[in-house]
């Protein structure tokens, strides 16, 4: 499949899968905005031209959040894209605190592609916490979220200087804004 075809197909596939989901911000933005932004961050800020990684970015929350079966992704996009998606998919059968702990523990052992994707995901989520946070989150919950991402990103360092630098800028801005 041509790269452009695969990326458009991945965007459409993700849009269909996330069609009933909203982000947690006060406007309840369409969920698809987030994977689109993660893929754009990788391409524009990260200079990533690897179409398999960009497709995985578009699809990165489908298995975790929409009940998409991994086999669907393998059939439509191939085993390499699926393996990146699975590397960034939390096991929802585990309690939330355990999932959060495992993200910190496992980050250093991820593949290069999964580390890039996780960096872009955390950049976008910290940006959301700053500019369009979940409507009902207290300052303390936002603070705890930022500090948790900092622990995850500590395990992703040495992967991409520009992405890490952007994360650091947003984290510093967030810490100032939230009084940390
Ligand atoms: P959640 O995992 O519940 O929510 C954060 C996730 O929601 C993000 O990682 C992102 O994931 C997604 N998301 C959707 N919309 C937005 C948005 N507008 N802005 C940011 N993220 C969005 O959060 P946590 O449980 O981690 O809560 C943060 C901290 O608060 C924790 O450290 C916890 O200790 C504490 N806390 C938790 C409570 C709870 O009930 N869980 C209650 C009180 C405090 P994705 O990329 O997958 O979209
Ligand atoms: Zn995400």
């Amino acid at each position: 499949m041509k790269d452009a075809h695969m990326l458009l197909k991945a965007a459409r596939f993700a849009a269909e899968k996330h069609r009933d989901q909203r982000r947690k911000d006060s406007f309840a933005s369409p969920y698809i905005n987030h994977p689109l932004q993660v893929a754009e961050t990788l391409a524009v800020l990260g200079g990533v031209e690897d179409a398999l990684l960009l497709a995985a970015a578009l699809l990165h929350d489908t298995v975790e959040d929409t009940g998409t079966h991994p086999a669907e992704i393998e059939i439509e996009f191939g085993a390499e894209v699926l393996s990146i998606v699975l590397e960034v998919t939390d096991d929802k059968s585990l309690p939330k605190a355990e999932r959060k702990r495992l993200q910190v523990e496992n980050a250093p052992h991820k593949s290069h592609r999964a580390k890039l994707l996780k960096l872009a995901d955390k950049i976008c989520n910290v940006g959301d916490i700053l500019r369009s946070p979940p409507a009902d989150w207290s300052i303390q919950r936002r603070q705890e979220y930022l500090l948790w991402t900092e622990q995850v990103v500590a395990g992703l360092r040495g992967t991409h200087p520009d992405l890490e630098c952007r994360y650091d800028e947003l984290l510093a801005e967030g810490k100032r804004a939230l009084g940390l």
Side-chain angles (χ1 to χ4, degrees):
M1 210 183 332
K2 285 183 181 163
D3 289 353
H5 292 185
M6 181 173 60
L7 293 175
L8 289 167
K9 181 175 166 178
R12 178 184 54 75
F13 182 98
E16 283 172 6
K17 292 296 185 181
H18 290 298
R19 68 182 179 273
D20 295 326
Q21 243 191 314
R22 295 289 177 273
R23 297 292 284 171
K24 297 171 180 168
D25 62 276
S26 57
F27 297 108
S29 313
Y31 196 91
I32 188 63
N33 293 4
H34 167 69
L36 287 169
Q37 190 188 24
V38 172
E40 184 184 358
T41 298
L42 278 174
V44 176
L45 195 63
V48 168
E49 294 179 355
D50 173 357
L52 298 180
L53 175 54
L54 296 174
L58 292 168
L59 300 166
H60 81 272
D61 279 329
T62 56
V63 175
E64 187 175 304
D65 291 339
T66 75
T68 299
H69 198 283
E72 271 186 88
I73 293 188
E74 183 167 9
I75 290 163
E76 300 294 337
F77 303 100
E80 261 186 293
V81 171
L82 174 62
S83 99
I84 304 167
V85 171
L86 291 182
E87 272 198 89
V88 302
T89 297
D90 283 355
D91 179 352
K92 282 268 186 94
S93 70
L94 297 172
K96 195 175 208 175
E98 176 71 353
R99 298 201 311 257
K100 300 243 145 206
R101 193 185 64 72
L102 283 173
Q103 279 208 32
V104 175
E105 192 177 298
N106 294 336
H109 312 297
K110 299 285 177 192
S111 68
H112 183 68
R113 280 165 156 169
K115 283 181 177 173
L116 290 169
L117 178 42
K118 287 185 73 67
L119 272 172
D121 195 28
K122 294 297 182 267
I123 287 170
C124 294
N125 281 333
V126 169
D128 283 349
I129 292 295
L130 282 172
R131 288 178 240 299
S132 48
D136 56 348
W137 279 27
S138 63
I139 298 284
Q140 188 192 337
R141 186 156 180 190
R142 284 184 249 169
Q143 289 173 335
E144 287 174 10
Y145 185 83
L146 281 194
L147 295 175
W148 168 71
T149 68
E150 187 175 20
Q151 285 182 272
V152 177
V153 170
L156 303 170
R157 297 221 177 250
T159 302
H160 192 300
D162 289 351
L163 290 176
E164 289 162 45
C165 182
R166 180 67 188 135
Y167 171 81
D168 290 337
E169 285 169 5
L170 285 169
L171 179 72
E173 189 187 331
K175 283 185 169 177
R176 275 194 305 276
L178 295 172
L180 280 168

